[in-house]
Amino acid sequence: WISNSLEGVAAGTPQITNDGKYVFLTHNSQAETVGHFTGLIYDTPNVLLSHIVVTNPFAGPAVFHNPMEGYYRNGDDNTNDIFLWAHSHNQQDETVGEGGTFAFQIPVGYNLGDPGLKDAVVYLGSRGWQTNSPPAIGNKGRTCFYSVSRNEFRGWIGDDNDTIGKFHKTANADLKQTPNAAPPLERFSPPLNTPVLGKNESMLFAGRATNKFSAMQVPSQRNETAMEVIWEIETTSLVKSPAIVTKDDMYVFVTESEGVVYALDMNTGVELWTMSLTARGHSSEFSMNENGDMLYIGDTAGNVVAWRFRGSPSAAPSPMPSLFPSSVPSGQPSLSPSMSSNPTPVIAPSTSPSRSPSKQPVPAPTFGKVTMPSQSTQAPTTSGTSRPVVTLFSLGTAFIVSVWLL
């Protein structure tokens, strides 16, 4: 399935409803000055809805599946997926422009073709800040945090007792975290990454608009109006990718734009190890496998590097074997490589023969598609349903969305 062409440039990552029926995304046109929020019907050329704001572009959206409710005025009892996004900041601006936040839920009892769906896009109010990234959403859809202008973070702490404004209100009576000082440009710029909540949602992690990475205490009471910095580290360049927190809330992984990867103790910020992407940079998101023993990182040279941990994420990872054919015959790579004192990911193909011949003939190298070795032909899933994968194809000033079911 490929969508019809949409105006402008996509902002952030398209988000998919839990049932896989709809794809929602933000995109900006007119030299990225006009914001669009668009819903697409999967496997058809039809647009479900289109919401346009001509005065400001949009940052990417976030989605929370099956929330407790729509945590905004008139969102009570709506457990459909909730989408949140905000106006974005132009990095060339030296002042903070007017901002605003938005929410969308498919109404309760909605049937495809019913009128009035456009009215379900809710303007949550004007803000004195903007953002460049989607928010972090937690607490069953009732807690939300943004990285915002002036190198700050703003958030809402939701509970069952607030039935009036919710996300319409100023963030928890201006709940925020502001650095003590920043260079002139960073006084206006938002951090470039989405903040990340720990698994128990008591801590928030994010890179700054300066070369710093912070861990903040999430307030437990709605009457608290500031987030305390628990620990903070200096980095050599900006952190542009959201951090990764392990399932056991013990470790946090951070990547910076010059290609350095940090493993930190989640509670203290103590550095456990660092690795480098062999002098290459990093600006995209990175991921961890389900078992929590592999990191996958793409660099600015177009390579994807896989690092395996030695027993625990607290130990430096070992390199994966090269998965590309060598120029001369060699032995089969081991899927459990030996440890080295200073491991480096293997990216380039081998240029010298093996010291000993392989026991079995090795076919001539193939210069077409290379299949990565695995123990099964399809990665296991947590349920029997297929999950959609979204790809964006750029077509000049327009683009299309393509979805495959794996």
Side-chain angles (χ1 to χ4, degrees):
W1 168 74
I2 300 177
S3 76
N4 288 336
S5 179
L6 302 175
E7 290 186 76
V9 179
T13 302
Q15 303 292 346
I16 305 171
T17 54
N18 205 36
D19 58 12
K21 293 181 178 179
Y22 308 109
V23 179
F24 291 92
L25 70 156
T26 53
H27 50 109
N28 299 313
S29 63
Q30 302 297 316
E32 299 190 52
T33 60
V34 175
H36 303 250
F37 176 76
T38 300
L40 304 173
I41 304 172
Y42 171 69
D43 211 21
T44 78
N46 301 325
V47 172
L48 181 68
L49 73 93
S50 178
H51 180 82
I52 302 174
V53 174
V54 298
T55 56
N56 293 88
F58 287 146
V63 62
F64 193 94
H65 299 295
N66 303 319
M68 177 69 72
E69 62 176 332
Y71 199 66
Y72 55 88
R73 195 179 302 126
N74 301 324
D76 299 346
D77 303 320
N78 190 343
T79 60
N80 290 325
D81 299 342
I82 184 169
F83 298 82
L84 298 175
W85 69 100
H87 284 139
S88 62
H89 172 78
N90 187 329
Q91 289 295 307
Q92 304 305 315
D93 290 346
E94 294 188 359
T95 59
V96 177
E98 186 67 21
T101 53
F102 300 81
F104 171 77
Q105 280 184 297
I106 293 178
V108 176
Y110 172 80
N111 294 309
L112 188 61
D114 288 351
L117 186 61
K118 186 176 181 180
D119 297 334
V121 176
V122 180
Y123 179 57
L124 297 174
S126 176
R127 309 293 175 200
W129 46 261
Q130 299 167 330
T131 184
N132 283 326
S133 55
I137 310 174
N139 188 23
K140 300 180 180 178
R142 297 179 299 184
T143 292
C144 176
F145 294 95
Y146 282 94
S147 301
V148 306
S149 308
R150 305 178 187 90
N151 199 11
E152 295 179 351
F153 302 94
R154 301 294 181 99
W156 290 257
I157 307 296
D159 62 30
D160 294 325
N161 299 319
D162 185 1
T163 59
I164 302 175
K166 305 179 181 179
F167 287 149
H168 280 88
K169 289 185 176 181
T170 301
N172 260 43
D174 217 12
L175 169 64
K176 63 181 180 180
Q177 207 299 309
T178 304
N180 293 328
L185 180 60
E186 283 75 22
R187 287 185 299 177
F188 307 110
S189 299
L192 296 176
N193 58 124
T194 295
V196 174
L197 286 162
K199 303 307 178 185
N200 67 3
E201 301 190 5
S202 64
M203 295 176 68
L204 186 75
F205 304 90
R208 295 285 191 174
T210 52
N211 294 348
K212 291 183 178 180
F213 180 84
S214 301
M216 293 155 279
Q217 183 71 49
V218 173
S220 58
Q221 303 294 327
R222 285 191 54 82
N223 57 3
E224 298 182 60
T225 60
M227 289 184 286
E228 177 187 358
V229 173
I230 302 173
W231 54 260
E232 193 169 68
I233 66 167
E234 297 277 348
T235 58
T236 56
S237 58
L238 289 176
V239 175
K240 298 181 180 180
S241 175
I244 291 178
V245 179
T246 55
K247 291 181 179 180
D248 55 10
D249 265 352
M250 291 183 64
Y251 311 107
V252 58
F253 298 96
V254 182
T255 59
E256 60 172 73
S257 57
E258 289 189 358
V260 179
V261 182
Y262 300 82
L264 308 170
D265 183 285
M266 193 194 83
N267 295 298
T268 65
V270 170
E271 183 181 295
L272 304 173
W273 51 262
T274 62
M275 298 277 283
S276 177
L277 293 174
T278 59
R280 293 178 173 90
H282 168 77
S283 60
S284 63
E285 296 187 15
F286 65 115
S287 62
M288 175 177 281
N289 69 342
E290 185 69 20
N291 293 333
D293 62 357
M294 292 277 289
L295 281 180
Y296 298 87
I297 307 173
D299 65 26
T300 53
N303 303 297
V304 176
V305 181
W307 283 335
R308 187 193 304 277
F309 301 119
R310 298 183 293 185
S312 159
S314 63
S318 63
M320 287 291 290
S322 172
L323 299 180
F324 298 95
S326 59
S327 57
V328 294
S330 64
Q332 295 292 328
S334 168
L335 294 179
S336 299
S338 59
M339 307 302 122
S340 64
S341 58
N342 186 19
T344 301
V346 178
I347 300 174
S350 171
T351 57
S352 60
S354 168
R355 292 181 179 274
S356 59
S358 58
K359 297 181 179 179
Q360 296 179 350
V362 178
T366 301
F367 295 96
K369 181 179 178 182
V370 178
T371 302
M372 297 178 65
S374 64
Q375 295 181 351
S376 62
T377 58
Q378 183 174 352
T381 59
T382 56
S383 65
T385 59
S386 298
R387 302 296 295 172
V389 175
V390 176
T391 302
L392 294 179
F393 297 93
S394 175
L395 294 175
T397 59
F399 63 96
I400 56 178
V401 179
S402 180
V403 173
W404 289 268
L405 284 178
L406 300 183

